[in-house]
Amino acid sequence: MDANPNMFSNEDITVTYDPKCCANAGICALQLSDVFRNSVIPWIDLDGANTKAIICQINKCPSGALQYYLHRKDVA
Ligand code: SF4
C-alpha cells in the first residue's frame, strides 16, 4: 500500500492535508513558510517550527484542508 502523500507525522503530531478542500489562498505558506512550503516536495516540513506554532497555523486554515491530531496529550 502506498503511503498517503498528504499525511505528515513526527513524534508529536500528524498533519493531514486535503487538496480538494484547499482554498489556495496561501495563508499557511505566507505565515509559516518554513513548514508550509509552496515550491518544495514534500511541501509540509514538520521540522520547520515547533508543534505549538504548527497547530496555531493549522487553526487559521480557512477551508479546513489542514487538520491535525496529537500523539501525546502534553504537546500542546
Ligand atoms: S491555509 Fe488552508 S486553505 Fe489556505 S492554502 Fe493553506 S491549506 Fe489551503
Side-chain angles (χ1 to χ4, degrees):
M1 188 167 76
D2 291 337
N4 183 343
N6 294 312
M7 180 178 287
F8 307 84
S9 296
N10 65 17
E11 64 182 16
D12 292 342
I13 190 171
T14 291
V15 176
T16 61
Y17 169 67
D18 184 347
K20 297 187 301 297
C21 292
C22 179
N24 291 308
I27 293 171
C28 53
L30 279 173
Q31 296 181 345
L32 198 61
S33 60
D34 287 341
V35 174
F36 302 100
R37 309 173 300 173
N38 55 16
S39 60
V40 182
I41 295 174
W43 82 279
I44 294 178
D45 177 9
L46 296 179
D47 293 331
N50 66 50
T51 299
K52 286 184 179 178
I54 293 169
I55 290 170
C56 182
Q57 192 62 53
I58 289 171
N59 287 335
K60 295 177 185 174
C61 174
S63 68
L66 292 171
Q67 301 284 327
Y68 71 90
Y69 59 88
L70 294 172
H71 303 167
R72 305 187 334 235
K73 290 180 180 172
D74 62 334
V75 173

